Amino acid sequence: MTSGGSFFITTPIYYPSDVPHIGHGYTTVAVDALARWHRQSGDDTWMLTGTDEHGQKMMRAAAANGVSPQEWVDKLVAEEWSPLLETLDVANDDFIRTTQERHETRAQKFWQSIYDRGYIYAGEYEALYCVGCEEFKPDAEIVEGTGAFEGLKVCAIHSKPLELLHEKNYFFKLSEFSDQLIELYRSQPDFVRPESAKNEVIAFVQQGLKDLSISRSAFDWGIPIPWDSSHVLYVWIDALLNYVTGVGYGSDEEDFQRRWPGYHVVGKDILRFHAVIWPAMLMAAGLDVPRGVFAHGWLLVGGEKMSKSKATGIAPTTLVDTFGSDAFRFYFLSAIAFGQDGSFSWEDMAARYHAELANGFGNLASRSIAMTAKYFDGSVPEPAEYTDADREIQKLVADAAANADAAIERFRIDQAISEVWTIVDALNGYITETEPWVLAKDDAQRDRLATVIYTCLEGLRALAVLLSPIMPESTAKLWSALGGAGEVAKQPVREAGAWGQLAPGTQTSKLAPLFPRIEED
């Protein structure tokens, strides 16, 4: 059923110090697929993504390239990060940049509110800092260096030496929120997902929280602290606020009440910021905590996490130029259990492309449309009496649609696709068993042939609607070939499993291969 309620969902806000890789693309298309599904369900959906543009790392990258920080981020966003959305066919509703005035003024209002509530104090801080992570590192993420870095403390993530910083900063009383956070996790067991991520967060909080440095005074590339302009907001504290500044906090109360709270999808390496620090900040400001935080796993290449610093990053265009955006979206959303680590290889993607898309879904669509043209002059036939085999397909379609929707509610996009794909496999098997090309040779079997072809076309109608959030380009082509009215992306996805929506007499049209075979060198 259509809930009609608000569904606000965000990607992590990306740090554009370099070009995006397929790990960024993976997160973005996952959030886009969830947003598209809810949008097609009639929910009041809003998808927010954007870029986090302040901080020391950005300032150093700009200096290394001989430009100002603003010039550097403007160039990267315009040439790399905004085009990524078009490359991957992402239908985000907003793109926020932390250097935008709307974000900066609203972020200052947020922290002034927390300051006025007594949760901020001045102090001195000395700790090991990773410029790559833009984070003062906890002991668990500090390791002894080896090789050229022997004798030094290095970041466990970036494998680069840490800097010992001593600064006068402002601190947020994070330690006062331990009990409230534990109660949040207890009372809302789905607040952090998957279960392994929730257990990690609870264990971290139970160890005891330390107050958090929220400002930097050693450089000025950031948002000035409203009560002390000699300090700028620590980059992570600045970045987290995009989730509320992007939907009107501090400026448009009506929009804010309409959208907030929302869901966050993040990589597991930044889970602590989103499931511990961020809800504590909101509690301190007197605002609702998010509806939930889902942490997906790492995307591994050659056994290592995607990383620009280790040169294991692969540009999304490398894959899209060969396989297409729909194949990119399908592969990463179906081949990896959402919430777990997953490995990418070119060979696996190519194999799945040909087996599941070209030979599976694509071939089903092509031959069903072609048989309609050959046997019924392209007109959707009127089905006659249904047999048990036909009714099995009808039940499978209804079950797959319901099960896919339930999987989406659990944020398990991979399971949703698996449910929908049972329709593809069943219809291909159905065609093999019913042999419409044999039925077509016997005039006495004309009614049976009509029922078989209608069953194939109606199954394809359901597939077009159910797969539209995953593969918007190919399903739009299929919808058009089926003679579907309007846009497939506007068809109610939660009603896709109801049988008999494709009207007999509808004129189909020729369909070019949705997923042409790729000849590799």
Side-chain angles (χ1 to χ4, degrees):
M1 291 180 62
T2 296
S3 74
S6 173
F7 183 78
F8 172 42
I9 190 167
T10 74
T11 69
I13 191 165
Y14 300 119
Y15 202 66
S17 58
D18 208 329
V19 298
H21 55 58
I22 59 174
H24 301 109
Y26 171 47
T27 310
T28 304
V29 297
V31 172
D32 181 56
L34 291 165
R36 283 176 179 269
W37 188 282
H38 281 271
R39 200 175 286 124
Q40 277 188 237
S41 301
D43 297 332
D44 184 14
T45 302
W46 197 258
M47 175 188 166
L48 176 68
T49 188
T51 44
D52 167 20
E53 302 176 6
H54 290 124
Q56 191 172 12
K57 182 179 180 180
M58 195 68 70
M59 189 175 68
R60 291 183 179 181
N65 284 273
V67 295
S68 71
Q70 190 65 60
E71 290 172 326
W72 179 239
V73 296
D74 286 347
K75 175 181 172 63
L76 282 168
V77 170
E79 296 181 2
E80 302 291 346
W81 291 86
S82 289
L84 173 68
L85 302 174
E86 183 176 352
T87 296
L88 299 179
D89 211 351
V90 175
N92 56 298
D93 295 286
D94 195 3
F95 186 96
I96 190 167
R97 299 176 58 185
T98 58
T99 55
Q100 291 173 334
E101 190 272 340
R102 62 166 171 162
H103 173 75
E104 294 186 348
T105 57
R106 295 171 186 179
Q108 288 178 318
K109 288 182 179 179
F110 184 96
W111 277 105
Q112 185 65 55
S113 170
I114 293 182
Y115 180 81
D116 293 343
R117 288 167 173 260
Y119 289 110
I120 306 295
Y121 64 92
E124 295 191 9
Y125 195 60
E126 182 175 273
L128 291 169
Y129 187 81
C130 175
V131 175
C133 293
E134 290 279 12
E135 179 187 5
F136 290 102
K137 303 305 294 183
D139 291 342
E141 295 180 9
I142 300 174
V143 297
E144 296 293 336
T146 58
F149 301 139
E150 186 174 357
L152 301 175
K153 302 291 185 182
V154 302
C155 172
I157 296 174
H158 288 90
S159 301
K160 290 186 177 181
L162 299 168
E163 300 180 12
L164 182 63
L165 300 182
H166 181 98
E167 293 181 358
K168 292 183 178 180
N169 293 335
Y170 285 97
F171 289 79
F172 169 52
K173 296 179 181 179
L174 179 63
S175 59
E176 294 190 10
F177 292 89
S178 296
D179 291 343
Q180 292 182 57
L181 289 168
I182 292 297
E183 175 58 23
L184 170 64
Y185 310 141
R186 185 200 66 78
S187 63
Q188 298 184 35
D190 287 339
F191 179 76
V192 180
R193 286 183 280 185
E195 189 74 14
S196 57
K198 180 177 74 173
N199 294 337
E200 175 191 328
V201 167
I202 291 173
F204 177 79
V205 175
Q206 287 177 333
Q207 291 175 359
L209 297 176
K210 297 179 181 179
D211 290 347
L212 182 71
S213 171
I214 64 157
S215 72
R216 299 294 306 276
S217 56
F219 57 89
D220 62 0
W221 180 239
I223 299 175
I225 295 286
W227 61 87
D228 185 348
S229 59
S230 66
H231 289 247
V232 296
L233 282 174
Y234 172 44
V235 64
W236 265 105
I237 300 304
D238 166 3
L240 288 166
L241 290 171
N242 91 92
Y243 303 129
V244 292
T245 64
V247 287
Y249 171 82
S251 177
D252 187 338
E253 185 63 23
E254 181 178 352
D255 190 46
F256 184 62
Q257 291 300 322
R258 176 183 178 183
R259 303 293 179 198
W260 187 257
Y263 291 100
H264 306 310
V265 174
V266 301
K268 66 179 183 180
D269 50 339
I270 56 174
L271 174 62
R272 188 172 71 248
F273 291 101
H274 290 81
V276 179
I277 297 171
W278 177 226
M281 287 165 51
L282 291 162
M283 291 173 181
L287 299 175
D288 290 338
V289 298
R291 292 173 70 181
V293 179
F294 190 98
H296 67 71
W298 285 342
L299 187 56
L300 308 175
V301 176
E304 287 196 7
K305 175 180 178 286
M306 296 291 298
S307 170
K308 290 175 289 193
S309 62
K310 294 183 180 180
T312 55
I314 300 172
T317 52
T318 303
L319 303 182
V320 173
D321 287 348
T322 298
F323 299 102
S325 61
D326 273 8
F328 181 103
R329 294 168 65 98
F330 172 82
Y331 175 76
F332 286 108
L333 297 182
S334 64
I336 300 169
F338 201 53
Q340 301 177 21
D341 292 349
S343 295
F344 163 77
S345 75
W346 186 280
E347 293 77 14
D348 185 49
M349 185 170 183
R352 287 176 179 267
Y353 175 91
H354 288 113
E356 297 174 50
L357 295 180
N359 297 336
F361 180 41
N363 188 47
L364 170 66
S366 294
R367 62 177 174 166
S368 296
I369 296 291
M371 287 189 294
T372 305
K374 183 175 182 180
Y375 304 138
F376 295 96
D377 295 324
S379 179
V380 176
E382 178 84 43
E385 184 178 353
Y386 287 121
T387 67
D388 287 345
D390 309 325
R391 283 188 284 269
E392 284 181 14
I393 295 292
Q394 295 173 22
K395 183 179 185 305
L396 184 141
V397 169
D399 289 346
N403 292 339
D405 189 49
I408 290 292
E409 291 298 316
R410 299 191 302 270
F411 281 61
R412 287 302 302 270
I413 310 170
D414 57 303
Q415 291 178 354
I417 296 174
S418 180
E419 292 289 346
V420 175
W421 222 254
T422 62
I423 303 174
V424 175
D425 294 338
L427 285 175
N428 276 319
Y430 174 81
I431 291 174
T432 299
E433 293 170 6
T434 57
E435 298 182 312
W437 49 89
V438 174
L439 296 174
K441 296 177 181 178
D442 185 354
D443 288 341
Q445 296 290 334
R446 184 70 175 171
D447 284 351
R448 181 61 192 148
L449 176 63
T451 303
V452 169
I453 296 301
Y454 182 83
T455 297
C456 293
L457 296 175
E458 174 64 357
L460 282 172
R461 181 220 37 97
L463 282 169
V465 176
L466 291 166
L467 290 173
S468 176
I470 309 301
M471 297 185 287
E473 183 179 10
S474 57
T475 52
K477 292 177 181 177
L478 174 58
W479 185 255
S480 178
L482 288 170
E487 299 175 32
V488 68
K490 294 184 178 179
Q491 305 308 307
V493 72
R494 289 180 183 144
E495 299 173 18
W499 193 260
Q501 296 183 46
L502 187 60
T506 300
Q507 192 65 34
T508 64
S509 57
K510 187 175 181 180
L511 179 66
L514 295 178
F515 301 97
R517 291 193 61 83
I518 297 170
E519 300 299 330
E520 298 191 63
D521 296 333

